[in-house]
Amino acid sequence: MSVKIDGNGEIIGATNTVPTGMPHIFLRTTVPPGWIAANGTVATIGNVGSGAARANADTLALFTEWWRYTDAQLPIFTNAGGASTRGASAQADWLAGKRLSVFNIAGRFLRAAGTINTLTFVNGTAYADTFRSHDHGIAGPGTFSVGGSAEYAPNVGRNKLSEAVGAAETAPVSLAGLACVKL
């Protein structure tokens, strides 16, 4: 493949390099071609006879990729909508007309799988809010003035943050978009 950039910075001759399963947030009101909504509006994918919310041959690559997750992460259903388990292969389940769940990333942030600070995050697993009491290490008591230097007695007491169960979630300033996944 050769790629050429014209005088306006536009790439000419590039092929589609977005891999199946890639999540993306679009600032648009409709799902672009080659993508599927991942915001709860499409619950399942499958072949034309599967009865899935998105029952189309264009979902085969994503069905095959996501079939590798566990039944707990992405449940699979019969073509009648009953709970099922994964069969011998993605191809066998596709041909059997099974429906595979779609990840719902609406209102969630995505993080890399792995372990940090004794917390382990498993690829493909959704997590609920976790509020833990923790020490921010703020020395005090003392007073702080805006634009001035901090006035406090070092290492006298420490302030802790304790969130009650069911406490309201905090969120940074943000702009929401349409959550999609590449077919």
Side-chain angles (χ1 to χ4, degrees):
M1 169 184 83
S2 67
V3 176
K4 182 173 105 178
I5 301 177
D6 73 7
N8 296 319
E10 185 175 336
I11 298 175
I12 300 170
T15 59
N16 182 1
T17 59
V18 178
T20 295
M22 179 177 173
H24 193 69
I25 303 298
F26 289 96
L27 291 179
R28 51 183 293 154
T29 58
T30 58
V31 177
W35 294 75
I36 188 170
N39 60 5
T41 60
V42 177
T44 55
I45 58 173
N47 70 24
V48 174
S50 67
R54 174 71 178 255
N56 196 310
D58 69 355
T59 65
L60 175 58
L62 186 59
F63 185 99
T64 301
E65 186 65 36
W66 282 359
W67 184 89
R68 295 178 180 113
Y69 286 103
T70 68
D71 292 327
Q73 293 168 316
L74 282 179
I76 196 164
F77 303 92
T78 66
N79 60 3
S84 187
T85 57
R86 282 159 172 72
S89 68
Q91 181 182 10
D93 283 351
W94 175 265
L95 293 174
K98 290 189 178 181
R99 309 173 189 183
L100 185 63
S101 295
V102 172
F103 284 113
N104 180 354
I105 59 176
R108 296 182 181 272
F109 72 90
L110 300 176
R111 72 173 349 129
T115 301
I116 185 167
N117 296 331
T118 71
L119 295 174
T120 298
F121 300 97
V122 178
N123 182 1
T125 301
Y127 294 91
D129 288 335
T130 301
F131 292 101
R132 297 181 177 180
S133 295
H134 58 281
D135 186 347
H136 279 266
I138 301 169
T143 59
F144 296 85
S145 60
V146 176
S149 61
E151 299 173 16
Y152 61 88
N155 301 317
V156 178
R158 295 179 73 78
N159 296 322
K160 292 194 176 200
L161 171 64
S162 296
E163 292 284 352
V165 174
E169 173 63 77
T170 58
V173 174
S174 59
L175 174 65
L178 178 61
C180 297
V181 173
K182 180 72 173 123
L183 287 172

